Amino acid sequence: MSELKQIKTALISVFNKDRLEPLVRLLNNSGVTIYSTGGTHQFLESLDIPVKTVESLTNYPSILGGRVKTLHPKVFGGILGRIGNPADEAEMAQYNIPRFDLVIVDLYPFEKTLASEASHDEIIEKIDIGGISLIRAGAKNYKDVLIVPSADQYTELLNLLSEQKCSSSLADRLRFASYAFAVSSHYDSAIFNYTSSLSGYREFRSSSKGNRALRYGENPHQQGEFFGNLDEVFIQLHGKELSYNNLLDLDAAIALISEFEETTFAIIKHNNACGIASRSNLTDAWKAALAGDPISAFGGVLVTNAPLNEETAVEINKLFFEIILAPAYEKKALELLQTKKNRVILQAKSFDFQGKQFRSLLNGVLQQDKDQKTETIDDLKVVTDRAPEKVQIDDLIFANIVVKHSKSNAIVLAKDKQMLGSGAGQTSRVDALHHAIEKAGNFGFDLKGAVMASDAFFPFADSVELAHKAGIASVIQPGGSVRDEETIDYCNRNGLSMVFTGIRHFKH
């Protein structure tokens, strides 16, 4: 595995020429013969790097508007020919095929084109044929060929060739072959997902670039990794490495806080909000959120949609918490928060998450659309004699957002855009309500005039009766139970207002 193989001949054909110059200068200075195509050939000539055209090898021009350039036996024979295989070596000699020791290639930017305003025909034209074939060929014959499938590997390649005097080991070539198959499989997945979205043909394909080893999984005895690029979502300004459970909480935190336009602070624990409030002032929002459950807030994940100022930082610094995520930080606020060595401080970026979610299950994968429905005042149907007042409507919408992001069965009690109590992840709806009422009482809240939100319909009138006795004045729920009339009748007899949304928000 440690024996080095000298690079004598290279094929270079790339769409993106950024950072290519140091590599080709090193190859040229090492006496490597370089073959290239079209724009890459012109680029190398502009650097006064000696280079041969692929056409001089194949005696065939680039045709079909550049669709066919490298698809030729003299190119692929030079990549796939096996050293030490007598038949391969004899045929390469017979047809005068040069052996390629290094192939540097990249792919047309299909995903970038797909994300743009490009037409269907333009997107299809960015499906690479020659490049993907070169990548697969070089990776297949990694025993003899060093394949470089992307500019992402240029720095590693430059260091490798500089240290090893333009040679590679079998271990090096196998590692780069793995990079190559990662690139090709990701590329093909993106193309499949696009074409299948048009044709209606359904199979599951998902690919994420990059990976991050985690300290462990959900528990210390489980191994954990994250696949994706977290740098697109936030910048880590301070603190220890993120854990598996941290990432779960951050996903829940970002999903919840993104629902609010008014200044809002939330505290997340085990994927549920244990405190959340909206206020005109950030410090007031924090204090109200913390008051919702100051016990559960210990060791939690804090998230806000407003830049964090020094005044608020002074207050939150009184609490032990693991992570804070905010869109920006005042200088003095950041300096104060950084006084705790392990505290994770994240600056949120604007990021457009995919609209699908999936999880491994049994012997396959379960996929669905994300729950991106957020009810507004226009979605509320008053079903009782009494209609909610304006301030209650604001609280109903607030509570409904929070319950949407709570584990089912879920109940949220709120007043003045502050969560007073919640019951989440319970096996019955009435148990969730008991839990919410108990928590509100434990932290000194008076539920008189508060509202109640439920993620699904009430199967019986008992929950509304219990809520009324605790002081709840208005209710929001999807409706849809065969006993809805019993619940409505109870509200009418006791002066409660209730609205139906027609939308269930189960979350498991």
Side-chain angles (χ1 to χ4, degrees), residues 163-178:
E163 293 170 3
Q164 297 180 178
K165 298 180 180 179
C166 217
S167 61
S168 66
S169 68
L170 182 58
D172 296 328
R173 297 191 294 277
L174 177 58
R175 184 172 69 257
F176 275 80
S178 296

Side-chain angles (χ1 to χ4, degrees), residues 76 85 142 172 251 262 363-364 380 396 404 420 463 471:
F76 281 85
N85 184 295
Y142 72 88
D172 296 328
D251 183 66
E262 187 177 355
N363 63 342
L380 309 187
L396 289 169
K404 167 187 170 182
L420 308 183
S463 292

Side-chain angles (χ1 to χ4, degrees), residues 59-101:
N59 292 316
Y60 223 94
S62 172
I63 61 172
L64 305 182
R67 282 187 164 197
V68 180
K69 290 181 286 191
T70 56
L71 296 170
H72 193 280
K74 281 201 170 183
V75 174
F76 281 85
I79 298 172
L80 289 166
R82 292 162 289 186
I83 295 176
N85 184 295
D88 286 7
E89 292 181 346
E91 288 182 330
M92 291 180 73
Q94 178 183 355
Y95 296 108
N96 194 28
I97 298 174
R99 182 178 300 283
F100 292 112
D101 309 297

Side-chain angles (χ1 to χ4, degrees), residues 48-68:
D48 293 325
I49 302 290
V51 57
K52 297 183 178 182
T53 65
V54 167
E55 289 85 354
S56 69
L57 174 64
T58 64
N59 292 316
Y60 223 94
S62 172
I63 61 172
L64 305 182
R67 282 187 164 197
V68 180

Side-chain angles (χ1 to χ4, degrees), residues 94-297:
Q94 178 183 355
Y95 296 108
N96 194 28
I97 298 174
R99 182 178 300 283
F100 292 112
D101 309 297
L102 170 67
V103 177
I104 302 176
V105 64
D106 65 3
L107 301 172
Y108 290 157
F110 177 82
E111 288 180 286
K112 183 178 179 180
T113 305
L114 182 61
S116 70
E117 300 294 325
S119 67
H120 173 71
D121 288 345
E122 290 171 323
I123 292 170
I124 293 299
E125 278 305 307
K126 286 300 184 286
I127 298 177
D128 205 306
I129 303 300
I132 201 79
S133 301
L134 292 170
I135 286 173
R136 291 179 64 85
K140 177 176 181 176
N141 199 26
Y142 72 88
K143 289 184 178 180
D144 301 320
V145 179
L146 179 61
I147 175 67
V148 183
S150 165
D152 293 340
Q153 285 83 46
Y154 285 0
T155 299
E156 182 179 352
L157 178 66
L158 183 62
N159 292 336
L160 174 72
L161 299 186
S162 298
E163 293 170 3
Q164 297 180 178
K165 298 180 180 179
C166 217
S167 61
S168 66
S169 68
L170 182 58
D172 296 328
R173 297 191 294 277
L174 177 58
R175 184 172 69 257
F176 275 80
S178 296
Y179 299 156
F181 286 124
V183 167
S184 65
S185 61
H186 179 84
Y187 196 76
D188 284 340
S189 293
I191 294 169
F192 169 79
N193 286 330
Y194 172 67
T195 56
S196 65
S197 71
L198 302 177
S199 69
Y201 178 71
R202 305 303 298 159
E203 280 192 14
F204 179 77
R205 296 287 188 279
S206 180
S207 175
S208 297
K209 291 183 178 180
N211 75 299
R212 176 185 294 210
L214 305 175
R215 295 195 302 274
Y216 49 79
E218 202 162 6
N219 299 292
H221 63 276
Q222 296 170 268
Q223 184 177 345
E225 288 181 278
F226 175 79
F227 295 95
N229 185 3
L230 291 174
D231 293 337
E232 294 178 338
V233 184
F234 47 68
I235 303 169
Q236 183 162 349
L237 303 176
H238 183 75
K240 62 183 179 181
E241 286 291 315
L242 293 167
S243 71
Y244 182 99
N245 292 327
N246 290 158
L247 293 176
L248 289 175
D249 281 335
L250 281 168
D251 183 66
I254 292 171
L256 174 60
I257 204 69
S258 64
E259 298 267 20
F260 294 91
E261 295 183 3
E262 187 177 355
T263 297
T264 301
F265 223 120
I267 306 167
I268 305 299
K269 203 72 177 287
H270 294 290
N271 309 154
N272 294 302
C274 62
I276 182 170
S278 297
R279 294 288 186 269
S280 58
N281 174 275
L282 182 61
T283 304
D284 291 342
W286 160 250
K287 290 179 177 179
L290 179 62
D293 187 347
I295 294 177
S296 296

